[in-house]
Amino acid sequence: AAAAALGLLPLGKTQSPESLLDIAARKVAEKWPFQRVEERFERIPEPVQRRIVYWSFPRSEREICMYSSFNTGAEDPAIALGGAVAG
């Protein structure tokens, strides 16, 4: 109520703090690929795995478009996909 009165939060909206699990999972996802986390640690509890995977994906539409486009820079599709060129 005091935060809303100070104009920090919209009136009628409450904000709950982020969980320690989410904060830690987000920080891990920002620094390391999930595959490296799996290789490094023998046992990762499933809830922790799920949150790391969740935070590993991009959030904005621009980032999603950027990471979803597959472009290797090669002009020949056979070379780009690692196929042999008949000749």
Side-chain angles (χ1 to χ4, degrees):
L6 294 173
L8 300 175
L9 294 174
L11 211 58
K13 297 265 184 175
T14 60
Q15 192 175 25
S16 55
E18 199 172 10
S19 72
L20 183 56
L21 172 60
D22 271 330
I23 294 168
R26 184 169 31 90
K27 291 299 180 184
V28 168
E30 288 173 0
K31 294 205 176 258
W32 298 290
F34 185 71
Q35 181 180 355
R36 181 167 278 160
V37 174
E38 281 185 313
E39 292 169 354
R40 171 71 172 86
F41 300 99
E42 286 184 25
R43 187 183 170 312
I44 305 169
E46 191 172 330
V48 175
Q49 288 180 29
R50 278 189 262 133
R51 296 315 295 169
I52 293 171
V53 169
Y54 172 81
W55 287 109
S56 293
F57 287 94
R59 299 280 160 242
S60 73
E61 186 176 340
R62 185 181 64 79
E63 288 177 329
I64 292 168
C65 290
M66 182 173 70
Y67 289 113
S68 67
S69 65
F70 181 76
N71 184 3
T72 60
E75 291 181 28
D76 186 353
I79 294 172
L81 297 176
V85 178

